[in-house]
Amino acid sequence: MTRDGDQSPAVGIGEMLISSRSLDEYRAMFTLSEDDLSRKILDCPGGAAGFTSAVNHLGGDVTACDMAYFDSDAEQLAGIAERETVRGNRYIRAHSEQYDWTFFADPDEHLHLRRGAAEEFAADITRNPHRYVAGRLPALPFPDASFDLVLSSHLLFSYSDRLDAAFHLDAITELMRVARDELRIFPLVDSGPGAPYPHLDSLLADLGDRGIAGEVVEVEYRFQRGAHHMLVCHHIVRPAARTIVGGTP
Ligand SMILES: C[S@@+](CC[C@H](N)C(=O)[O-])C[C@H]1O[C@@H](n2cnc3c(N)ncnc32)[C@H](O)[C@@H]1O
């Protein structure tokens, strides 16, 4: 099964990680400005990231959506966030050559900062459960154009060993359905050795056929080697057909 987030072990980290990135990582991965952070945002998959909590505490309006929120309550998710932080850090220590130690100084700092984000998530999902909505791509429980900006990190492209090309196309189409303006996806490489997504050109062509323009943009965030780009998607605005008054042109 390859269509909807199958959890079978594969290369790289193995079973899909429920990770906990911080607001600072999101800012760097997605080149988020203060103006971006004031928009109505969907983070999908939200995982156990601290982003939603941190931005909402600053007065923002972020909703997280993830299929992990179906099966576990807030207390269970807090435990999962801690265990997954340790599992992710163990992988990074064992494969430190796959990482550029710029954003994080070393694996100890990685553990410390990710644990902080996991704790922020755990506290917030208890206090503000309405901000964490269970959903499973490629079908999200939101009306069309519900959000100004949609962010999607470390699912699409990261797990292309188990999520096929049709899933990528349908998931991006769905994320764009709920986006009024823009979708940003990071990174464009797989979660193990950092191989670039091999079907990007045909994906961009298929998205174009669905009225979605995608542009690859370099970002400043440096952690996983090769993961330096995001995909920015917009709706293609087709000019309205001209009405010729008084006859044929
Ligand atoms: C590596 S985590 C990324 C979390 C967060 N964006 C971050 O960067 O810290 C991947 C997440 O994708 C979620 N996921 C996997 N398949 C999904 C699907 N079909 N729909 C929604 N979420 C999914 C998993 O539950 C997991 O939390």
Side-chain angles (χ1 to χ4, degrees), residues 3-7 13 16-22 25-26 29-30 43-51 65-70 77 80 84 114 117 133-140 151-156 158-159 163 167 171 186 191:
R3 296 261 312 141
D4 59 353
D6 175 29
Q7 300 288 296
I13 189 91
M16 189 180 292
L17 201 64
I18 300 178
S19 52
S20 298
R21 291 182 174 80
S22 65
E25 279 193 273
Y26 270 64
M29 292 186 303
F30 292 116
D43 179 23
C44 180
F51 175 75
C65 180
D66 197 292
M67 71 176 195
Y69 310 155
F70 278 120
L77 284 166
I80 290 169
E84 290 289 83
R114 289 283 176 92
V133 177
R136 188 182 185 106
L137 285 166
L140 297 178
L151 304 175
S152 187
S153 105
H154 295 89
L155 172 62
L156 297 166
S158 293
Y159 291 96
L163 299 172
F167 177 82
F186 179 89
S191 70

Side-chain angles (χ1 to χ4, degrees), residues 58-85:
L58 293 172
D61 183 353
V62 183
T63 299
C65 180
D66 197 292
M67 71 176 195
Y69 310 155
F70 278 120
D71 299 329
S72 311
D73 62 22
E75 194 181 331
Q76 290 167 326
L77 284 166
I80 290 169
E82 163 63 18
R83 289 193 296 281
E84 290 289 83
T85 297

Side-chain angles (χ1 to χ4, degrees), residues 214-245:
E215 184 190 1
V216 175
V217 176
E218 185 167 3
V219 302
E220 286 187 2
Y221 177 71
R222 291 290 180 273
F223 182 42
Q224 186 191 5
R225 289 196 192 279
H228 306 155
H229 296 87
M230 64 176 168
L231 182 65
V232 179
C233 295
H234 287 102
H235 297 285
I236 297 170
V237 181
R238 298 179 198 281
R242 275 196 305 151
T243 308
I244 310 291
V245 179

Side-chain angles (χ1 to χ4, degrees), residues 199-214:
H199 312 297
L200 190 60
D201 288 347
S202 60
L203 174 69
L204 292 176
D206 290 342
L207 287 171
D209 291 343
R210 294 186 178 191
I212 297 166

Side-chain angles (χ1 to χ4, degrees), residues 13 15 23 31 46 83 102 119 129 132 137 157 188 223 233 243:
I13 189 91
E15 189 175 318
L23 168 58
T31 319
R83 289 193 296 281
T102 303
E119 286 168 0
Y132 298 85
L137 285 166
F157 310 123
L188 308 186
F223 182 42
C233 295
T243 308

